[in-house]
Structure formats: structure tokens, C-alpha cells
Amino acid sequence: MVLIKIEKLSKTYKKGENKIFALRDINFDIEEGEFVSIVGKSGSGKSTLLNILGGMDTCADGEVLFEGSNILKMNERRLARYRTFTVGMIFQSFNLIPWRTAIDNVKLPLMFSGYPKRLRETRACELLYNMGLYKRALHYPSELSGGEAQRVAIARALANKPKIILADEPTGNLDTSTSADIMALLQMFNSKHNITIVMVTHDKETAYRVSHKTILLSDGEIIKTTTNVRQ
Ligand SMILES: Nc1ncnc2c1ncn2[C@@H]1O[C@H](COP(=O)(O)OP(=O)(O)OP(=O)(O)O)[C@@H](O)[C@H]1O
Ligand SMILES: [Mg+2]
């Protein structure tokens, strides 16, 4: 079943007289339960595409259809619901709030979603426990290793049980073995919990290994789509 349908999606930036196409006529479907990788050189439009899918940027032409509604045209209220309940985002630089502990970072989306206050602590503990971080709950981000910080970010992204995880170079700041751990976690959530994943990576080899479909962007256009057979 198609979860998100992207049709004729374009995004331009004006630079003086010139128009820069960050994305140009992008068309593809994201199936429910699919693991999609987006690869391409720096500046090819990967983050732009991911931010649009996450409802972080609606200033674009075309359609991004989720359950039949174009997220580019949603009112603020529906868009806020989409961002809170449908997607979870993970970034290269983790984007944890530095002055909040690990557990408070995980509790934050539970506040936005109106999760019952008395249950937030338990839910956040459970999420950290599942990431093997129970003992790090009261640490601040500066007191965590890169791999631990990214696992806190994943716990935070999963807090409201999203349908889709959007990950922008999630292993870009991690060493090889920690990257493999994070990748294994993402694969596990995809295969065991059927969470749809869209991941940006510059590492084509990993993309082909972990994902069902790899989309290659160049200058804002899809120049190749590869369907992969996962090992
Ligand atoms: N605010 C902006 N104003 C003008 N141009 C922009 C702006 N943001 C992005 N761009 C341009 O849009 C294009 C796509 O940028 P994007 O960040 O999506 O690339 P990327 O593929 O994620 O690159 P990287 O691998 O370096 O993260 C680039 O050419 C960039 O210069
Ligand atoms: Mg980027």
C-alpha cells in the first residue's frame, strides 16, 4: 500500500535574478513498510526532500500526498498533527536539546502530543531501556557518546509511535562500528515493527545493503531508482 505519493514536486530558491532548482519534478511512491534510501552528491537536494516529507518545509510546488491529503497544502493544525504523530526525524548532528537530560529530551514529543502527563516518565524510560540506555537517562547530551546520543534521538523520534522515520545522514558523525549498530536498529524497526524509513546517506554501499529502494538525486532530479534485494 502506498503511504506517501510524491508527484511533480519542485522546490526553487531565488538568488537575485536566478532561480535555483533544489528539487525538480520529483515523482515516486513510498510504500508502507518500505526502507527507502536517498543518495546523491552534496547539494543534490537530499535534505530539501527529507524536510519536505517531514512537513518542515511546505514552500514547494507539486504534491506530497499522505492518506490522500497534500501536506504542502495542509493548514497549520493538521500539519502540526502530521509532524507530531506521523513522522519521527533523526539528524546527523542528533539535534538533542543540550540543557535537557536524555529522558527529558525523549519526553518532549510526548508533551507536544498530549500524552498523559503521569505516563510520560514510564514511556520515556521504556524507550530508553529499549535502546540500551536506561543508565544514561539522567545524562546531558554532552555527557553521551555519539552513538548514545543518536540512540536517544531515535528513542525521541519513536516516542509517539510514528509511521515513518526520516533520517538525514544518521550515521554521518559516527565511527564504522557505531554506524553499523545504528543501521541495525533502523533495520530492526523497519522489519519487526513495519516502520517505514526514508534515509539520506552518502554511502551507496550501505544504501543498497539495507534498503528496498535507492533513489539517486543529481541537481535536484531523480536520475536513477534501484530496487534492492536485501540480504
Ligand atoms: N536557503 C537556501 N537558499 C538558497 N539555496 C539553498 C537554500 N537551502 C538549500 N539551497 C540549495 O539547494 C540545493 C540542495 O540543498 P540540500 O541541502 O538539499 O542538499 P543535500 O543533498 O542535502 O547536500 P549535503 O549532502 O551537503 O547535505 C543546494 O544547491 C543548496 O545550495
Ligand atoms: Mg543534506
Side-chain angles (χ1 to χ4, degrees), residues 42-43 45-48 92 168-169 200:
S42 179
K46 305 182 297 296
S47 297
T48 304
Q92 173 170 359
D168 196 345
E169 297 267 12
V200 166

Side-chain angles (χ1 to χ4, degrees), residues 11-12 20 23-24 51 110 115 132 142 192 195 200 223:
K11 162 107 193 162
T12 52
I20 300 171
L23 294 173
R24 194 195 291 257
N51 289 336
L110 298 170
Y115 200 86
S142 62
K192 287 226 174 76
I195 295 181
V200 166
I223 56 166

Side-chain angles (χ1 to χ4, degrees), residues 55-112:
M56 314 289 287
D57 176 6
T58 53
C59 225
D61 299 315
E63 294 190 324
V64 178
L65 297 165
F66 171 73
E67 291 177 343
S69 310
N70 184 1
I71 66 168
L72 300 175
K73 295 273 184 294
M74 278 180 186
N75 62 32
E76 264 313 310
R77 214 178 136 153
R78 276 199 73 192
L79 195 62
R81 282 186 62 81
Y82 173 82
R83 284 196 297 249
T84 305
F85 294 101
T86 307
V87 295
M89 295 195 79
I90 308 169
F91 305 90
Q92 173 170 359
S93 47
F94 323 130
N95 290 14
L96 297 174
I97 296 179
W99 58 87
R100 287 184 188 253
T101 57
I103 191 157
D104 284 347
N105 267 281
V106 177
K107 275 187 194 163
L108 214 57
L110 298 170
M111 259 165 67
F112 292 140

Side-chain angles (χ1 to χ4, degrees), residues 119-171:
L119 300 176
R120 283 178 208 160
E121 184 91 4
T122 316
R123 172 82 181 134
C125 280
E126 173 192 84
L127 286 154
L128 286 175
Y129 181 83
N130 290 342
M131 293 292 149
L133 287 172
Y134 197 68
K135 289 189 174 156
R136 298 286 179 270
L138 298 177
H139 283 223
Y140 287 90
S142 62
E143 300 165 343
L144 297 168
S145 71
E148 287 169 344
Q150 194 58 300
R151 281 183 285 148
V152 173
I154 294 175
R156 181 180 61 179
L158 290 169
N160 289 316
K161 302 195 171 143
K163 281 202 158 88
I164 316 162
I165 293 274
L166 301 171
D168 196 345
E169 297 267 12
T171 61

